[in-house]
């Protein structure tokens, strides 16, 4: 097998974030940092910065499907992830592509930006739940997204476990209910259909969490593309996102981006010492 054939590759199907902290841009940076070749299919273009989303333009579903077909017919993907999908017709087009290409899929059910601005039309939640979740190998809702998907209020770890089970019942094979929105430790609950475990990390006191969910789900897809089992991929992705938050460069006046290349920067510093 040639080098080219062995190089792992992953596809992100998501929205563009002009501030490059979230969306397609965060996903491609994550793939690159984890040495996975990144492919992209853009669903929507947003004009946003660390303070909020000023405008969004949704692309036609046929164009989303055409981007996926173009890269998969030629290059192929070992894993894929979805982020901002914006509308029900885009979700349906993505679901068709995922089924046709039999993609190993990580679904980040993005509904809003950190600023609170909506990124998914309210009527599209039903399509996300009914059409896309049954195709997901892993789904990674944050607390408000898990509440929208289950119709339950979620606060405690026990409520996070109950939500993970309810989302698994919708068809997703592995569920991570993320606890970044909790006030105490950012503990995530992982459910594989049989047992629960917790992904624990220290809370980093920072406002720079723009794109943490995108980064986490992209890292899971990257580790799956590299051949890790789901539980390992999720654990490694948790470590990756924690360090990405820790090394955030402190940009912008609102929720700034995280840092993806801290390891590369550290090795460069070590060489010049
Ligand atoms: N301040 C923080 N310190 C450490 N980890 C965090 C922090 N905020 C979020 N995380 C982690 O980052 C990941 C993304 O979570 P979250 O911020 O809840 O997602 P989203 O961006 O979808 O709202 C999760 O693993 C979460 O636990
Ligand atoms: C285009 C786009 N996609 C997703 C998010 C959410 O980012 P996150 O929930 O990871 O902060 C965003 N702000 N913009």
């Amino acid at each position: 097998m040639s080098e080219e054939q062995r190089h792992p590759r992953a596809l992100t199907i998501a929205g563009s974030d002009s501030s490059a902290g979230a969306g397609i841009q965060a996903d491609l940076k994550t793939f690159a940092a984890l040495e996975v070749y990144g492919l992209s299919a853009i669903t929507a273009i947003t004009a946003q910065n660390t303070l909020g989303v000023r405008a969004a333009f949704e692309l036609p579903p046929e164009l989303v499907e055409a981007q996926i077909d173009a890269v998969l017919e030629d290059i192929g993907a070992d894993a894929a992830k979805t982020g901002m999908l914006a509308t029900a017709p885009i979700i349906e087009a993505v679901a068709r592509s995922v089924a046709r290409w039999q993609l190993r899929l990580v679904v980040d059910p993005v509904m809003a930006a950190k600023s609170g601005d909506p990124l998914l039309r309210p009527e599209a939640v039903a399509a996300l739940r009914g059409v896309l979740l049954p195709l997901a190998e892993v789904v990674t809702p944050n607390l408000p997204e898990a509440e929208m998907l289950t119709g339950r209020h979620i606060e405690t770890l026990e409520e996070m476990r109950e939500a993970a089970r309810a989302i698994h019942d919708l068809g997703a094979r592995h569920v991570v209910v993320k606890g970044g929105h909790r006030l105490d430790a950012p503990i995530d609950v992982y459910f594989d259909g049989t047992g629960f475990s917790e992904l624990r990390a220290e809370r980093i006191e920072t406002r720079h969490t723009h794109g943490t969910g995108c980064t986490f789900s992209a890292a899971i897809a990257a580790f799956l593309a590299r051949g890790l089992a789901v539980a390992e991929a999720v654990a490694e992705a948790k470590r990756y996102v924690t360090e990405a938050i820790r090394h955030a460069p402190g940009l912008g006046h609102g929720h700034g981006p995280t840092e993806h290349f801290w390891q590369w920067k550290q090795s460069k510093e070590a060489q010049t010492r």
Side-chain angles (χ1 to χ4, degrees), residues 122-139:
E123 71 272 13
V125 175
L128 190 62
R129 198 193 282 122
V131 180
L132 202 60
L133 287 198
L135 300 174
E137 181 152 4
V138 188
V139 60

Side-chain angles (χ1 to χ4, degrees), residues 21-246:
I24 286 276
Q25 290 84 353
D27 296 342
L28 291 177
K29 285 188 241 182
T30 304
F31 294 160
L34 295 173
E35 295 181 83
V36 169
Y37 186 80
L39 304 161
S40 63
I42 299 184
T43 56
I45 297 170
T46 70
Q48 67 172 299
N49 57 24
T50 65
L51 295 166
V53 181
R54 295 183 180 184
F57 182 81
E58 297 151 353
L59 294 180
E62 312 81 67
L63 186 56
V64 176
E65 220 168 339
Q67 294 174 75
I68 299 172
D69 287 344
V71 295
L72 295 185
E73 277 169 25
D74 185 28
I75 297 171
D78 303 297
K81 68 147 280 188
T82 59
M84 174 188 183
L85 295 174
T87 69
I90 293 179
I91 292 174
E92 283 152 17
V94 169
R96 271 195 304 276
S97 303
V98 169
R100 187 168 60 242
W101 289 102
Q102 306 223 315
L103 293 173
R104 292 188 75 184
L105 185 69
V106 180
V107 174
D108 181 11
V110 171
M111 295 182 188
K114 285 273 141 62
S115 52
D117 297 297
L119 297 172
L120 181 73
R121 294 197 183 196
E123 71 272 13
V125 175
L128 190 62
R129 198 193 282 122
V131 180
L132 202 60
L133 287 198
L135 300 174
E137 181 152 4
V138 188
V139 60
T140 61
N142 63 24
L143 287 189
E145 291 158 355
E147 287 185 341
M148 281 298 287
L149 291 171
T150 61
R152 302 171 187 202
H153 174 71
I154 309 164
E155 221 173 283
T156 64
L157 278 179
E158 189 47 38
E159 286 165 346
M160 287 169 78
R161 282 186 211 104
E162 285 164 12
R165 191 184 286 282
I167 294 167
H168 183 267
D169 288 346
L170 295 172
R173 293 189 288 287
H174 304 82
V175 183
V176 185
V177 177
K178 297 175 295 191
H181 292 243
R182 287 163 58 101
L183 290 176
D184 50 0
I187 301 170
D188 306 337
V189 166
Y190 173 68
F191 183 56
D192 64 5
T194 331
F196 294 96
S197 58
E198 283 159 20
L199 303 162
R200 289 175 175 269
E202 65 187 285
R203 169 165 296 281
I204 297 156
E205 288 310 328
T206 176
R207 62 187 159 89
H208 301 302
T209 53
H210 184 92
T212 50
C214 304
T215 298
F216 180 59
S217 54
I220 297 173
F223 285 118
L224 290 179
R226 294 181 64 125
L228 268 61
V230 177
E232 283 174 76
V234 165
E236 287 297 327
K238 175 72 173 174
R239 278 191 273 279
Y240 181 84
V241 72
T242 305
E243 292 309 310
I245 298 169
R246 195 191 312 282

